[in-house]
Amino acid sequence: QVRLVESGGGSVQAGGSLRLSCAATGFTDSSYCMGWFRQRPGKEREGVAGINLGGGYTDYADSVKGRFTISQDSAKTTLFLQMHSLKPEDTAVYYCAANKCTGWARVYVLPYAYNVWGQGTQVTVSS
């Protein structure tokens, strides 16, 4: 059974950087996609970034493109989200997610495309 545990959240000033981690266990092969999502106060959950574990292809939300980078460690046991130039509007609970993605035309950064979720980690950006 796939299990995901996020860590690395915290408080940072605007313009600063933070790296989130997602420890993954239970993958049976490389035919998975993973993504980072966030839920800002009073808002619906939204996609941030996604990656195809087999091919390494990525996609990003326009709001974070150029500032955030999604990646995976060489052992393929940990997913990362490196965040730079953080803004107050980046404040949210951040979640990692996974699903089999065989047959996907591209990496989808959509909440309904994923079926396994971590518990979330809080990121707070102050001005």
Side-chain angles (χ1 to χ4, degrees), residues 8 17-18 24-26 29 32 36 41 49 52 54 56 59-61 64 75 85 87 101 103 111 123 127:
S17 299
L18 202 62
T25 58
D29 53 47
Y32 289 84
W36 286 100
N52 182 300
D59 195 20
Y60 297 88
V64 307
S85 301
K87 305 173 181 179
C101 55
V123 171
S127 59

Side-chain angles (χ1 to χ4, degrees), residues 71-87:
S71 63
Q72 189 180 31
D73 70 337
S74 59
K76 301 186 185 301
T77 58
T78 306
L79 182 74
F80 301 104
L81 183 68
Q82 181 66 59
M83 304 183 291
H84 295 296
S85 301
L86 283 162
K87 305 173 181 179

Side-chain angles (χ1 to χ4, degrees), residues 9-13 18 86-88 90-92 94 122-126:
S11 297
V12 64
Q13 290 189 320
L18 202 62
L86 283 162
K87 305 173 181 179
D90 293 320
T91 295
Y94 283 72
Q122 176 71 47
V123 171
T124 302
V125 184
S126 62

Side-chain angles (χ1 to χ4, degrees), residues 33-34 52 99-110 113-114:
C33 289
M34 296 186 70
N52 182 300
N99 198 7
K100 289 264 191 176
C101 55
T102 301
W104 286 15
R106 62 179 180 86
V107 179
Y108 297 108
V109 193
L110 301 166
Y114 296 84

Side-chain angles (χ1 to χ4, degrees), residues 31-49:
S31 60
Y32 289 84
C33 289
M34 296 186 70
W36 286 100
F37 299 81
R38 67 187 182 187
Q39 190 160 18
R40 291 182 271 189
K43 305 292 184 180
E44 296 182 5
R45 190 171 299 185
E46 63 181 331
V48 175

